[in-house]
Amino acid sequence: QLIDRATSPRDEGDPKAEQKTLEESWQDLALIKATPKPPKKQRREDLSEPLLSPARPPAPGEAHEPRVCSAPPETPRVESSPPRCLTLQEKLLSHYSSRLAVPEAQASLAPQLARSICAQLQNFLRSKCPELPFGSLFLSGPLLDGLGALAADHVHLMLPVVLDATLWSLIPGEDTVVRNPRYWMIKRTDLEYFPRGCSSWDRFIVGRYLSSNVLNETLHKMLVASINWPAIGSLLGSVIHPVVASQELKLEVKHSQVELSITLFPVVEMEHKVLLAAPPEGLVENLWLESFYRAEVSKVKELDAGDSGARQHCLRILNGVCKSHPALHKLSGSPLTHVVLHLSATSSDWAEESLADRFQQVLEELVGYLEKGVLPSYFNHKINLFCELLEEEIDEMGFMLYRAISEPELLLKEK
């Protein structure tokens, strides 16, 4: 219509039409062409409203009467303002508070329940195995130490194995059969002068080495067959079941307010090393895994205390994201902590307002380590924390994190 009106003679009897010149009509046409087309799935009532209403000559008798409209003609159409775009910092904090923070009731109940079970187990061991010098059981894990709990659902129960340093010595990991510097062997020494039986732990020796497998098997039989868990559970208002099929020493606890998994770890502390009875899968019986967990927690908290940093907050978010992501769950825990510790040596700004920058930087560092297939331990560079990952797992993790560097929100979506 505008093209016809622009090229046809003006209506002499129309004073309003005279106000429109040919040039102005083509400008109107240009405006219409420049107006973006509505999307195909736009609402039908929206499509019935013209994007730009051309001036229409008034019909006879209505030249001086205003046209009746459903809305005042002078009032422009008010568009609803789009929601404010959140920064990555705001998205991370929101994600943590809505999905990763442990409810206060569970955070207090779970450790309390675990401590009660710990006391019952301690009493049983002292009465059943008084000849074995076990130390006092204690709790450990992210729920208590605050570095990565996604839920109040898991606690570690540490059982100290007290050894006489004159009868036992450590064999370095590089000299073990698996040639892995993270695993150690505990050798019985001076059998010529102190024959078998001088140490209470000699019954767990295999080939002159303290066997983590034999010790675990003995404790597993006790957990499954010797302890009256129904009675203990009834006393604590819970249902407690030892996990029979697992090679780990596990208890499943169901309470009306929380479900808890407790894993028992025999632990040896010698020569400034913390060794867990957690051998690798396979036929090797005598290996003990060096744990850096206590050192990790201590170092992160020390660094945060020194500069009022947000390392712990960053780790809680990273651990929650990785643990809940099917492709990244093997990165949660120790590997993330060591990346943050490495990064702390080069990036000094860990203030709360820099949380988003540090979060992205950790992702970049992880991609770099995954490309090499090597993540050295912060406490012993000979140890590769990726050594037990499969090549396909490394590729999948690297691809996912590479995408997340440019779009971190990918990691915050529901899985």
Side-chain angles (χ1 to χ4, degrees):
Q1 292 178 358
L2 280 176
I3 295 175
D4 292 339
R5 183 159 57 83
T7 56
S8 61
R10 287 178 291 176
D11 187 352
E12 297 295 331
D14 183 5
K16 288 188 177 182
E18 292 179 1
Q19 299 173 8
K20 288 278 187 179
T21 64
L22 178 62
E23 181 181 355
E24 289 169 338
S25 296
W26 279 105
Q27 288 174 352
D28 285 347
L29 178 61
L31 285 174
I32 293 178
K33 285 185 175 181
T35 303
K37 295 182 180 180
K40 291 183 180 180
K41 292 186 179 180
Q42 197 169 14
R43 292 181 305 154
R44 188 172 182 143
E45 54 266 33
D46 291 342
L47 295 175
S48 65
E49 298 178 12
L51 295 175
L52 182 64
S53 300
R56 180 178 61 84
E62 67 174 8
H64 302 288
E65 297 179 4
R67 186 161 54 96
V68 178
C69 302
S70 58
E74 300 298 329
T75 304
R77 201 172 152 198
V78 179
E79 298 283 344
S80 59
S81 58
R84 184 174 68 88
C85 292
L86 298 177
T87 64
L88 176 59
Q89 177 98 354
E90 291 169 326
K91 290 178 181 178
L92 290 174
L93 295 176
S94 173
H95 180 78
Y96 175 78
S97 61
S98 62
R99 292 190 54 208
L100 302 182
V102 180
E104 187 175 346
Q106 293 184 12
S108 60
L109 176 60
Q112 179 183 346
L113 191 57
R115 287 189 182 95
S116 299
I117 294 172
C118 178
Q120 294 292 330
L121 185 55
Q122 183 84 69
N123 292 336
F124 171 82
L125 289 173
R126 284 176 178 169
S127 62
K128 182 74 173 179
C129 313
E131 75 284 1
L132 294 178
F134 287 115
S136 297
L137 284 156
F138 62 93
L139 303 184
S140 181
L143 179 60
L144 287 88
D145 300 316
L147 289 192
L150 183 62
D153 61 355
H154 203 103
V155 172
H156 295 160
L157 195 53
M158 315 306 287
L159 175 60
V161 174
V162 182
L163 300 178
D164 185 345
T166 61
L167 301 178
W168 302 90
S169 63
L170 298 185
I171 305 299
E174 295 93 330
D175 298 336
T176 64
V177 292
V178 294
R179 302 295 180 190
N180 187 331
R182 191 167 183 182
Y183 288 96
W184 294 72
M185 299 178 81
I186 304 174
K187 186 177 182 180
R188 179 68 157 82
T189 58
D190 295 330
L191 283 172
E192 301 83 3
Y193 304 103
F194 304 99
R196 283 176 181 258
C198 291
S199 171
S200 303
W201 302 106
D202 286 347
R203 58 190 276 196
F204 302 104
I205 287 178
V206 174
R208 295 191 67 172
Y209 297 96
L210 184 62
S211 173
S212 53
N213 278 22
V214 174
L215 179 56
N216 278 338
E217 287 169 4
T218 302
L219 290 170
H220 190 273
K221 290 176 183 176
M222 290 183 185
L223 289 180
V224 171
S226 301
I227 303 178
N228 189 351
W229 292 116
I232 295 175
S234 177
L235 181 67
L236 301 176
S238 308
V239 178
I240 305 174
H241 291 293
V243 181
V244 179
S246 174
Q247 291 186 350
E248 292 182 305
L249 306 173
K250 268 192 173 183
L251 298 172
E252 297 293 345
V253 183
K254 291 187 178 181
H255 186 274
S256 58
Q257 298 182 47
V258 68
E259 292 189 6
L260 189 62
S261 176
I262 299 178
T263 305
L264 178 66
F265 287 103
V267 55
V268 169
E269 295 191 41
M270 283 184 66
E271 301 177 13
H272 307 292
K273 304 285 188 299
V274 178
L275 307 177
L276 304 181
E281 295 182 4
L283 300 176
V284 182
E285 292 192 346
N286 303 329
L287 296 179
W288 293 71
L289 175 68
E290 184 173 6
S291 171
F292 299 103
Y293 182 76
R294 189 187 303 171
E296 293 165 6
V297 173
S298 176
K299 188 63 178 178
V300 169
K301 291 187 175 182
E302 175 192 329
L303 290 171
D304 270 354
D307 58 12
S308 301
R311 294 171 185 83
Q312 295 172 76
H313 202 161
C314 185
L315 274 172
R316 283 193 288 269
I317 296 174
L318 285 163
N319 275 307
V321 165
C322 290
K323 189 177 179 181
S324 61
H325 199 290
L328 303 175
H329 68 278
K330 288 191 175 182
L331 287 179
S332 63
S334 190
L336 290 175
T337 305
H338 285 251
V339 172
V340 168
L341 289 175
H342 285 307
L343 191 56
S344 294
T346 57
S347 298
S348 57
D349 182 12
W350 283 89
E352 186 71 32
E353 54 269 21
S354 302
L355 176 63
D357 293 336
R358 297 291 81 79
F359 181 87
Q360 284 193 287
Q361 199 171 1
V362 171
L363 299 184
E364 293 170 6
E365 293 291 308
L366 269 171
V367 169
Y369 289 125
L370 287 166
E371 284 178 346
K372 299 174 183 176
V374 176
L375 172 57
S377 165
Y378 179 81
F379 301 100
N380 182 354
H381 282 239
K382 295 178 181 178
I383 296 174
N384 175 19
L385 299 179
F386 287 164
C387 67
E388 295 183 2
L389 293 178
L390 300 176
E391 188 174 344
E392 307 85 68
E393 292 173 331
I394 290 178
D395 289 343
E396 187 177 7
M397 292 175 187
F399 176 71
M400 184 67 218
L401 291 175
Y402 182 78
R403 291 175 59 204
I405 290 174
S406 58
E407 194 178 351
E409 293 80 3
L410 286 173
L411 301 179
L412 307 182
K413 295 178 181 177
E414 294 282 349
K415 304 299 180 296

